[in-house]
Amino acid sequence: MADIIQLLPDHVANQIAAGEVVQRPASVVKELLENAIDAGANTIKLIIKDAGKTLVQVIDDGKGMSTTDARLSFERHATSKIKSADDLFQLNTKGFRGEALASIAAIAHVELKTKQETDDVGNTIQIEGSKVITQEIVVTPKGTSVAVKNLFFNIPARRNFLKSDAVELRHIMDEFHRVALAHPSINFLFYNNGSETFNLPVSNFRQRIVNIFGSKTNEKLVPVNEDTEVLKISGFVGKPEFAKKTRGEQYFFVNNRFIKSAYLNHAIASAFEGLLKNGTHASYFLNLDVDPQTIDINIHPTKTEIKFDDEHTLYAILRSAVKHSLGQFNIAPVLDFDRDPNLDTSYTQQKINIKAPQIEVDRSFNPFKNEPIKTESKPSFSGRQTTSFKPTPNNWDSLYIGVASKEINNNNETSVDFSEVQFESEEQTASMFDNNEVEQANTTYQIHNKYIVSTIKSGMLVIDQYRAHQRVLYEDFLKNLTIKEATSQQLLFPLQLHFSKQDVEIISQLKEDLEFTGFLFSEITKETVEITGVPVGVPESEVSIILEQLISDVENEVPDSNFSAADLLAKSMAKSLAIKTGQALKKDEQEHLVNKLFACKEPNVSPTNKTTFITMSVDELDKKFI
């Protein structure tokens, strides 16, 4: 039988490796930024065009490469970071596999320019699909410039799987934030389609957070510091009142490398237990310094997952450190929730002996001193003593209306005939068991503040109130967006909301559609959005929640070509404003919701294609009792 196993060609092997390393343009950004950091760069410039599909370029002022190194850098498993397997457990650099540039060159057009400080001229290499097109001498400044053009040009199926520009750009920004936050000592610049998006100067960790997420972030941060033999923690957590519904601002850095860890994230959530509202997540920016020998980074191609030797100890230290910081800065509540902190005794007054107050009493005080003295009336000329009475009212006879007659007894006692006395009539209430009135049967019932039960001819109807209201609101918003007419209610005072730069950019893109739903914007700056009008029925307190949910949906729910921006906007707003599970509804509200649901075009499903109601016939109920 003939041999069937054969070695793959290099270009095929590179494309297979590229499938693991390069998933989208953001993967290229991550690898190139990390290479620039390993090169010792002080300034790194990232240039993006068309969300990285057309161009991803990283320019640094690092140490550069020689002619031989520039050519070898595109070979598989060629690296300067490690020399033996033992080096994998003592890593202090970002990249170490030597697969990044080789994988990128296999699926894109790559142009490399590099020059060392001691050389007079540099080198340039052009590669297309793992094939070296040119390599020649060029005049270039010190450092390295890598331009990746036409990503996935030779794999159209992979290119078709890329999402919209807004989604891909968001992934690029996420990678940029992760690298920039981990290295505040490096100057980062970010250009998107020719305009400068970020210019992050050299600063400390707190200032780097503020420069990325906006100036209002500074007041939301609580410092966390803990130094033990096992783990050193430094960084910040967000105050509970600023918790968001999304997990966007959650960053763990282990030895200056961004990682994802559901286990350590649970430690943070446990420290915030009892402080956060349901459905919200705390923000954190934490640096964890551990011994490189106690972690294994080489367990995932993207190097965002790390295996720790002793996770339980790290969990306990991290949880206690965050909890201590929240308590130290009076973020965590005490047992007495009504306590006024202004009445607490300060530390400087605790050791001072308290003196009993001296009370002076005015013993000569007479409360009756100023009361007028009653004087007896003077005797009349007839010699009799007269007594003063209160004046008799002029309408005295009205007091005796209804008294028909008075009979004077022999004992001079007056008897009154009450037979004709009229009393005020009391309001009579109808009897519950009055046979003349038949109580109208209730048509709807609410169960557990979640489901609405209504009777139908064949049995009963059970409606999920949250999903049903979503469907009603979705069709209303979609109608307003389609006909471009909506009613707006003006705010007495403009509402000013603060967002990060990338969030403001998303709102700017959706501004026109938002105005069709009823929002009115007076000003949009780099970090603030000023709103003067909101859709009718939308409370002012819900505006920020609606916009945050909308931004999250735009980033995560993938508005491809088959999903219009109007459809996504209607879904997002309906999800934010719908009646939540647990909210009690009055009878008329229940009936109104049922009527509005069955007036919709598609009452059977919610905007997310989930069932809104079920029916149960009388026969099915009868079978339950067999």
Side-chain angles (χ1 to χ4, degrees):
M1 185 175 180
D3 298 333
I4 59 175
I5 296 178
Q6 58 184 354
L7 291 175
L8 288 173
D10 288 341
H11 68 279
V12 177
N14 287 338
Q15 287 190 3
I16 294 173
E20 298 178 354
V21 178
V22 183
Q23 301 172 356
R24 53 184 0 129
S27 305
V28 177
V29 171
K30 174 182 180 293
E31 298 292 347
L32 296 184
L33 289 177
E34 289 182 348
N35 285 343
I37 292 170
D38 287 339
N42 296 318
T43 300
I44 300 176
K45 187 183 297 184
L46 173 62
I47 302 172
I48 299 295
K49 286 186 179 179
D50 299 332
K53 299 174 184 177
T54 302
L55 173 67
V56 175
Q57 185 175 8
V58 174
I59 304 172
D60 66 71
D61 59 352
K63 54 189 177 185
M65 291 182 285
S66 64
T67 304
T68 305
D69 290 343
R71 180 63 186 86
L72 277 176
S73 63
F74 289 98
E75 297 295 329
R76 290 192 69 197
H77 307 307
T79 179
S80 62
K81 314 297 172 61
I82 61 174
K83 291 183 172 59
S84 64
D86 294 336
D87 294 339
L88 289 172
F89 301 98
Q90 295 179 350
L91 287 172
N92 293 309
T93 57
K94 302 295 181 185
F96 51 87
R97 286 199 184 99
E99 291 181 339
L101 289 179
S103 301
I104 294 170
I107 53 175
H109 298 167
V110 180
E111 182 180 2
L112 170 70
K113 294 180 180 180
T114 183
K115 172 182 171 296
Q116 293 180 327
E117 188 174 8
T118 56
D119 295 339
D120 295 330
V121 292
N123 290 275
T124 180
I125 298 177
Q126 291 185 357
I127 299 179
E128 296 180 3
S130 297
K131 297 180 180 179
V132 178
I133 305 301
T134 61
Q135 180 174 0
E136 55 189 20
I137 296 173
V138 68
V139 176
T140 183
K142 186 198 82 162
T144 303
S145 170
V146 183
V148 179
K149 305 174 184 177
N150 304 323
L151 193 64
F152 299 125
F153 79 100
N154 53 354
I155 313 179
R158 289 289 300 275
R159 191 176 180 89
N160 292 335
F161 275 100
L162 294 179
K163 309 303 179 184
S164 64
D165 286 356
V167 175
E168 295 298 340
L169 181 61
R170 181 64 186 187
H171 284 289
I172 291 174
M173 283 190 173
D174 286 342
E175 294 294 347
F176 178 78
H177 290 166
R178 293 167 183 175
V179 176
L181 284 171
H183 301 276
S185 60
I186 299 176
N187 179 23
F188 285 91
L189 295 98
F190 184 7
Y191 295 91
N192 179 33
N193 292 333
S195 62
E196 183 182 280
T197 304
F198 288 100
N199 187 350
L200 307 177
V202 176
S203 59
N204 55 28
F205 188 48
R206 184 173 195 140
Q207 190 62 41
R208 177 56 58 90
I209 296 172
V210 172
N211 289 337
I212 291 178
F213 295 102
S215 56
K216 283 292 179 180
T217 311
N218 191 33
E219 64 188 39
K220 305 177 185 179
L221 301 178
V222 178
V224 178
N225 290 288
E226 190 70 36
D227 193 355
T228 65
E229 295 180 357
V230 180
L231 173 68
K232 181 180 179 182
I233 304 173
S234 64
F236 303 91
V237 295
K239 294 180 180 179
E241 59 264 31
F242 297 107
K244 295 186 176 182
K245 288 193 172 184
T246 59
R247 298 179 179 268
E249 298 178 1
Q250 295 184 343
Y251 296 90
F252 277 123
F253 302 100
V254 176
N255 296 351
N256 294 331
R257 181 193 299 274
F258 172 80
I259 67 156
K260 296 178 182 178
S261 174
Y263 188 70
L264 296 183
N265 181 73
H266 188 273
I268 303 294
S270 178
F272 275 90
E273 187 177 2
L275 300 178
L276 301 177
K277 296 179 182 178
N278 290 334
T280 60
H281 307 278
S283 302
Y284 55 80
F285 311 87
L286 297 175
N287 294 303
L288 311 180
D289 291 333
V290 298
D291 186 355
Q293 295 183 358
T294 62
I295 58 176
D296 185 5
I297 304 170
N298 194 26
I299 63 172
H300 195 274
T302 60
K303 301 186 286 285
T304 55
E305 296 180 12
I306 289 181
K307 186 176 181 181
F308 298 93
D309 281 354
D310 191 359
E311 285 187 334
H312 298 288
T313 302
L314 267 62
Y315 182 98
I317 295 174
L318 183 61
R319 179 179 178 274
S320 61
V322 173
K323 206 161 191 175
H324 174 71
S325 294
L326 293 175
Q328 184 179 6
F329 290 90
N330 293 328
I331 303 300
V334 293
L335 292 178
D336 186 6
F337 293 96
D338 297 327
R339 176 182 62 86
D340 187 356
N342 296 322
L343 300 179
D344 291 347
T345 305
S346 62
Y347 290 106
T348 58
Q349 301 292 330
Q350 282 185 350
K351 297 182 180 180
I352 298 177
N353 295 327
I354 300 175
K355 297 180 180 180
Q358 296 180 357
I359 303 175
E360 296 291 340
V361 179
D362 186 4
R363 299 184 182 277
S364 63
F365 174 71
N366 184 2
F368 306 102
K369 185 175 181 180
N370 297 327
E371 184 175 343
I373 300 174
K374 294 181 179 179
T375 57
E376 295 181 355
S377 60
K378 295 181 181 181
S380 63
F381 291 102
S382 62
R384 294 181 180 179
Q385 184 177 354
T386 60
T387 307
S388 61
F389 293 93
K390 293 182 179 179
T392 304
N394 296 327
N395 57 344
W396 62 270
D397 52 345
S398 65
L399 299 175
Y400 298 96
I401 293 176
V403 180
S405 62
K406 296 183 180 180
E407 296 179 358
I408 302 176
N409 300 333
N410 294 330
N411 297 332
N412 294 329
E413 293 180 356
T414 304
S415 63
V416 182
D417 184 9
F418 291 99
S419 60
E420 296 183 6
V421 175
Q422 296 180 358
F423 296 95
E424 293 182 359
S425 61
E426 295 182 0
E427 184 179 355
Q428 295 182 354
T429 57
S431 173
M432 180 182 293
F433 304 100
D434 192 357
N435 295 327
N436 296 328
E437 296 182 5
V438 180
E439 186 180 0
Q440 186 177 3
N442 292 325
T443 57
T444 59
Y445 303 89
Q446 191 177 23
I447 300 177
H448 296 299
N449 293 338
K450 183 177 182 180
Y451 299 107
I452 296 175
V453 179
S454 179
T455 57
I456 54 177
K457 282 186 177 181
S458 60
M460 69 176 183
L461 190 72
V462 183
I463 302 172
D464 187 313
Q465 64 183 33
Y466 176 59
R467 295 179 183 177
H469 200 211
Q470 272 194 66
R471 165 55 62 179
V472 173
L473 292 176
Y474 168 72
E475 293 199 2
D476 287 344
F477 285 128
L478 198 59
K479 179 182 177 182
N480 292 336
L481 287 166
T482 304
I483 64 177
K484 299 183 179 180
E485 290 181 3
T487 307
S488 177
Q489 60 184 13
Q490 297 292 321
L491 298 177
L492 185 60
F493 300 102
L495 183 63
Q496 193 173 57
L497 303 175
H498 297 271
F499 295 97
S500 61
K501 294 179 181 178
Q502 58 269 27
D503 291 346
V504 171
E505 187 175 347
I506 293 175
I507 294 175
S508 299
Q509 295 173 358
L510 299 173
K511 178 185 174 183
E512 185 177 356
D513 289 326
L514 284 169
E515 288 176 343
F516 293 146
T517 64
F519 283 99
L520 294 178
F521 298 90
S522 59
E523 185 181 10
I524 296 180
T525 63
K526 287 187 176 181
E527 295 182 1
T528 60
V529 175
E530 191 171 86
I531 298 174
T532 57
V534 295
V536 174
V538 176
E540 187 176 338
S541 59
E542 295 283 333
V543 174
S544 61
I545 299 175
I546 292 172
L547 293 180
E548 286 180 5
Q549 183 68 52
L550 176 61
I551 293 169
S552 174
D553 291 341
V554 170
E555 296 167 359
N556 302 321
E557 293 200 2
V558 195
D560 288 335
S561 57
N562 55 335
F563 291 98
S564 64
D567 183 78
L568 178 68
L569 179 58
K571 285 182 180 178
S572 179
M573 292 185 63
K575 184 164 54 176
S576 301
L577 295 172
I579 298 169
K580 302 297 187 292
T581 298
Q583 183 174 345
L585 299 178
K586 298 178 181 178
K587 291 294 180 183
D588 54 346
E589 293 174 338
Q590 298 172 20
E591 294 177 2
H592 179 71
L593 179 58
V594 174
N595 295 333
K596 291 285 287 184
L597 174 64
F598 289 100
C600 293
K601 294 181 179 179
E602 295 183 12
N604 297 328
V605 293
S606 69
T608 54
N609 291 325
K610 294 182 180 179
T611 304
T612 56
F613 67 88
I614 60 171
T615 57
M616 185 172 289
S617 65
V618 177
D619 294 337
E620 290 175 339
L621 287 172
D622 291 339
K623 292 178 182 179
K624 300 290 183 182
F625 293 94
I626 295 177

